[in-house]
Amino acid sequence: MTKTLAFVLYPGITPLDLVGPLQVLSALARIDPSFEVVVVGRDLTPLDTDTPLKLTPSHTFDQVAEPFALIVPGGTEPTLAALADEPLLSWIRSAARTAEVVGSVCTGSLLLGAAGLLEGRPATTHWGFRDLLGRFGATPVAERWVEAGPVLTAAGVSAGLDMALHLVERLAGEQAARTVQLLVEYDPQPPLGGIDWGSTDLDFFRPHARAMLESALADHPALLARLS
Amino acid sequence: MTKTLAFVLYPGITPLDLVGPLQVLSALARIDPSFEVVVVGRDLTPLDTDTPLKLTPSHTFDQVAEPFALIVPGGTEPTLAALADEPLLSWIRSAARTAEVVGSVCTGSLLLGAAGLLEGRPATTHWGFRDLLGRFGATPVAERWVEAGPVLTAAGVSAGLDMALHLVERLAGEQAARTVQLLVEYDPQPPLGGIDWGSTDLDFFRPHARAMLESALADHPALLARLS
């Protein structure tokens, strides 16, 4: 039986959160037809992102009830607003019940948390929102990705690429992971090197994160209070 | 005056080619409002990609005549078919006349070549299509990205991230590049390390590349002969 890898689309996401792992897992599906990739959303309307690009899903939530894996991308204020999107959380909760892999990239893990899936688990997210994970009963971890049973959370935005390659190795073995890595030519050479966390000021982001949360959840005071 | 960074969309692309640098340069536009990002296409219809995701541009070619920069993503067979897409090549050629940056990711550089923009220049592309660059008068180079005057070409798919961060540094300085890198949390940790080119068999791809080219340009025998 074909294993369905379902990417979750909702309004306003950071497209690289979704497209990084989507490209990696689509390459897996090309070399191993026991996997198929779909992008699911409430309907098939093009959705805004935090860039000028619009994204359209391939399937509706109703059409993909029991995926083998689901992967939830994140974003900035619209993702925080989605913490109050009950139909979205309800699909995530229901799909997670039977899925073997429940994944997220960036602040997508906050949606897993809001769906009640991180209780008692280590998890990660974008560095600028990491302390919010504790409000959902998770233990925040500063790693590129974190695996805890079926739940696989990645750090911010580009971390979805590393997480997805790890997932390919887990699902199809090292040789498949090497072939996929070669096909998407993932041989990273950041021009200024990696991030030097020790010498980087992260506090500048705190008021921005706070302002985004307050604006996103202005109509949901109880949830806002829980997260503050 | 606002500097417009224009991403070129056409049918069937590899979405990560576009979304990697789009996310990076959108972060630049957020911290430096002297830049704006647009996605241009023939019209505003959602377009298929080599994944189940559809992408919709924000502007038409007619609306963006003289961008400061253009960046052309690549793909597999549909990009090779686009080598015969005269309206697309014509917009690229015309926009390149006044642009300060003419960029590409992956096989997008073949489109720059078909538009006559690589003559006598070093350039790169996806490793599986590198020898085609010579047919357009370019000197193929095996680097993550190659800068030759205004022309900036990146290697395959994920290489657009590295190229875009280099471009941010060039356009806005090292501090801006470090901030953007932090916002998209680009601190790559490929689970199996980088690609070990010395021990990797690349020849397996040759018949696939050949078959794609023949199928893509079946209706354009003169162009096919030139590229064979």
Side-chain angles (χ1 to χ4, degrees), chain A residues 146-169:
Chain A
V146 175
E147 210 155 19
V151 176
L152 178 59
T153 53
V157 197
S158 60
L161 280 164
D162 297 318
M163 180 191 81
L165 279 168
H166 164 72
L167 188 55
V168 171
E169 189 181 2

Side-chain angles (χ1 to χ4, degrees), chain B residues 115-204:
Chain B
L117 300 167
L118 295 186
E119 199 70 49
R121 288 193 161 113
T124 196
T125 189
H126 190 281
W127 56 267
F129 296 91
R130 209 182 288 137
D131 53 352
L132 286 178
L133 284 171
R135 318 298 162 98
F136 297 114
T139 307
V141 178
E143 298 282 352
R144 195 71 176 153
W145 73 84
V146 176
E147 210 155 19
V151 176
L152 178 58
T153 53
V157 197
S158 60
L161 280 164
D162 296 318
M163 180 190 82
L165 279 168
H166 165 72
L167 188 55
V168 171
E169 190 182 3
R170 179 174 137 191
L171 297 178
E174 180 183 325
Q175 191 46 54
R178 287 197 190 279
T179 301
V180 165
Q181 180 171 2
L182 185 65
L183 289 173
V184 302
E185 204 165 341
Y186 188 52
D187 189 22
Q189 295 175 34
L192 296 169
I195 296 171
D196 178 4
W197 294 103
S199 75
T200 301
D201 166 37
L202 302 179
D203 286 339
F204 82 95

Side-chain angles (χ1 to χ4, degrees), chain B residues 82-132:
Chain B
L83 295 174
D85 180 344
E86 271 309 324
L88 174 65
L89 298 179
S90 162
W91 184 85
I92 291 173
R93 208 177 282 121
S94 154
R97 219 167 277 142
T98 50
E100 288 195 28
V101 180
V102 179
S104 66
V105 179
C106 198
T107 52
S109 58
L110 302 178
L111 289 169
L112 298 186
L117 300 167
L118 295 186
E119 199 70 49
R121 288 193 161 113
T124 196
T125 189
H126 190 281
W127 56 267
F129 296 91
R130 209 182 288 137
D131 53 352
L132 286 178

Side-chain angles (χ1 to χ4, degrees), chain B residues 16-74:
Chain B
L16 185 52
D17 287 19
L18 187 149
V19 170
L22 173 71
Q23 201 74 59
V24 167
L25 293 173
S26 295
L28 170 64
R30 204 162 305 134
I31 64 171
D32 182 343
S34 69
F35 295 96
E36 66 163 357
V37 171
V38 298
V39 181
V40 293
R42 196 164 321 171
D43 55 42
L44 302 184
T45 311
L47 293 174
D48 283 333
T49 67
D50 70 0
T51 74
L53 189 68
K54 284 190 170 68
L55 305 180
T56 307
S58 60
H59 292 74
T60 63
F61 289 142
D62 292 344
Q63 290 172 322
V64 183
E66 297 196 338
F68 174 83
L70 62 148
I71 294 180
V72 182

Side-chain angles (χ1 to χ4, degrees), chain A residues 26-73:
Chain A
S26 294
L28 170 63
R30 204 163 303 132
I31 64 171
D32 183 343
S34 68
F35 295 96
E36 66 163 357
V37 171
V38 298
V39 180
V40 292
R42 193 159 329 167
D43 55 42
L44 302 183
T45 311
L47 292 175
D48 284 332
T49 67
D50 70 0
T51 75
L53 190 69
K54 284 190 170 68
L55 305 180
T56 307
S58 61
H59 292 75
T60 63
F61 288 141
D62 292 344
Q63 290 172 323
V64 183
E66 297 196 336
F68 174 82
L70 63 147
I71 294 180
V72 181

